[in-house]
Amino acid sequence: MSILSPTQRTTVTRETKRAVAGRSRMLALLGDALVAHLGVVVVRDGVTHPVVLPIAFAVDPDGPDADGTLYLHGSTGSGWLRSALDTDVCVTVTELDGLVAARSGFSHSMNYRSAVVIGRARVVDDPAERAHALDLIVDHMIPGRAATLRPPTRKELAATAVLALPLREASMKERAGGPEDEPEDVASGVWAGHIPLQRVALPPVSAPDSHDEAPVDVVARAEALG
Amino acid sequence: MSILSPTQRTTVTRETKRAVAGRSRMLALLGDALVAHLGVVVVRDGVTHPVVLPIAFAVDPDGPDADGTLYLHGSTGSGWLRSALDTDVCVTVTELDGLVAARSGFSHSMNYRSAVVIGRARVVDDPAERAHALDLIVDHMIPGRAATLRPPTRKELAATAVLALPLREASMKERAGGPEDEPEDVASGVWAGHIPLQRVALPPVSAPDSHDEAPVDVVARAEALG
């Protein structure tokens, strides 16, 4: 298991006490989180600007790329796709764990876990790897679901782009616990603490045209989520 | 109240049925959400790449910028700050509302609300606007909290950069409800539906060196969150 932050651009330089060096912690976060934010650089009419979009993802720690593979998918007609090819992208995954109320505005903070992965995305062309990646993305939402579904049609596959981002250039930061106030602020007697936040799931809602009860894998997923 | 998506780069081009044209819906999302993802374009050693970082924020719908102002703050020593100045940034705010289990992998989806704001950030120098923005960011976490705290020190203010992003170039997408399957997939009899997701708060946790019970504004915030 290699250590994170192997290059300068993924080395945490601010609040380094919050940097997490262990790859297993990052993989745990990427397993928990359901949405990533994909950043691409867009050049339009000579003006360069970033675009950040929420996107589904999945990770294969034993994927073909060094240190594992993060898979993304999207429509081949997506505007962001063009900007994601032949250049570097950034995928950031954040879970918010709490609000930290300190004695000063300056020390107010949030508890979170966040991973940042930067690199060149590879278009996945190999049919077996594409099928594997698409199954992983479905199973990341609901473990075991992909095996219960029909295989994708040729038309669906033709409309879907799959990208693979190596988990090599990555960093993670994490904050947990209560506020960190200056001694004179603690002495002021103002209350301080934190509000823990969690993501929870409600029971599955069957589609109106679905005639069965939710299957065990879906019920189990909702229960596991909270 | 102006309509969203006033420029080409913030016009939704994919799945336009999910585009939300009303500014009030976007303001409601920006009021609900606690974390934004800031995208900047970094140029290092001649290589351009995006960086996306989670960040606290607050919105003033009546701020000094046309269509309202989104405020960000950070350490003046932040690496991202340099990349956010004199160029365009992107701030994306997403709330995940559910997992959508369709009859095909292709139709699996998520329920979400997401706003994308692109533009040139303005460094806030005016002391009154800086103080207002910093209070808004604290109050966005816990409404009413800023008024209970001492004012920031000169040293704290000197260490803090405040940026203002106009809410002018913005778009919003939203998905809600159950799966949308092809008729032949519905006929297959496979179960389909969705798992609603929510963010909830646990009761406030007092810091070990805090001698009081959590004040009413903090308790009310935790209860309002869930």
Side-chain angles (χ1 to χ4, degrees), chain B residues 26-47:
Chain B
M26 184 180 77
L27 291 176
L29 166 62
L30 296 176
D32 277 354
L34 294 163
V35 168
H37 279 82
L38 168 71
V40 297
V41 176
V42 172
V43 182
R44 187 195 292 270
D45 301 332
V47 177

Side-chain angles (χ1 to χ4, degrees), chain A residues 14 37 50 52 75 88 92 94 102-103 109 141 145 150 185 191-194 196 198 200 202 205-207 209-210, chain B residues 14 37 50 52 75 88 92 94 102-103 109 141 145 150 185 191-194 196 198 200 202 205-207 209-210:
Chain A
R14 293 291 308 167
H37 279 83
V52 179
S75 163
D88 287 333
T92 297
T94 304
R103 280 97 172 175
S109 188
M141 290 172 52
R145 178 87 182 152
R150 65 162 173 78
D185 285 326
W191 179 88
H194 69 283
Q198 287 181 353
V200 299
L202 303 183
V205 177
S206 295
D209 52 12
S210 202
Chain B
R14 293 292 307 168
H37 279 82
V52 179
S75 164
D88 287 333
T92 298
T94 305
R103 279 96 172 177
S109 188
M141 290 172 53
R145 178 87 181 153
R150 65 162 173 77
D185 286 325
W191 179 88
H194 68 284
Q198 288 181 351
V200 299
L202 304 182
V205 177
S206 295
D209 52 12
S210 202

Side-chain angles (χ1 to χ4, degrees), chain B:
Chain B
M1 188 76 65
S2 63
I3 295 298
L4 288 171
S5 301
T7 68
Q8 194 180 12
R9 65 186 181 175
T10 52
T11 297
V12 173
T13 56
R14 293 292 307 168
E15 300 190 298
T16 50
K17 67 183 173 185
R18 293 188 185 149
V20 175
R23 186 165 291 268
S24 60
R25 290 277 282 286
M26 184 180 77
L27 291 176
L29 166 62
L30 296 176
D32 277 354
L34 294 163
V35 168
H37 279 82
L38 168 71
V40 297
V41 176
V42 172
V43 182
R44 187 195 292 270
D45 301 332
V47 177
T48 298
H49 66 88
V51 170
V52 179
L53 297 173
I55 192 165
F57 74 99
V59 161
D60 185 350
D62 304 313
D65 300 285
D67 300 318
T69 302
L70 187 150
Y71 288 111
L72 306 171
H73 75 330
S75 164
T76 52
S78 299
W80 61 262
L81 187 63
R82 201 172 38 245
S83 304
L85 301 179
D86 303 321
T87 183
D88 287 333
V89 302
C90 179
V91 174
T92 298
V93 174
T94 305
E95 288 286 285
L96 181 63
D97 295 326
L99 303 177
V100 183
R103 279 96 172 177
S104 65
F106 188 76
S107 292
H108 270 61
S109 188
M110 297 198 197
N111 287 333
Y112 66 94
R113 290 158 291 151
S114 187
V116 175
V117 186
I118 299 176
R120 191 66 56 104
R122 170 173 61 85
V123 178
V124 178
D125 287 323
D126 176 69
E129 189 184 359
R130 276 168 63 85
H132 173 63
L134 294 172
D135 282 355
L136 277 181
I137 291 170
V138 167
D139 283 348
H140 184 61
M141 290 172 53
I142 302 172
R145 178 87 181 153
T148 70
L149 303 173
R150 65 162 173 77
T153 65
R154 208 174 300 184
K155 189 177 162 192
E156 288 171 347
L157 287 172
T160 304
V162 178
L163 300 184
L165 185 63
L167 282 175
R168 193 178 64 83
E169 282 196 75
S171 65
M172 179 172 169
K173 287 180 89 171
E174 177 171 9
R175 189 197 191 286
E180 294 164 19
D181 280 304
E182 299 298 325
E184 58 270 29
D185 286 325
V186 175
S188 74
V190 173
W191 179 88
H194 68 284
I195 301 176
L197 297 173
Q198 288 181 351
R199 180 191 62 211
V200 299
L202 304 182
V205 177
S206 295
D209 52 12
S210 202
H211 305 298
D212 295 322
E213 293 295 298
V216 287
D217 54 347
V218 176
V219 174
R221 178 53 161 161
E223 286 173 355
L225 283 169

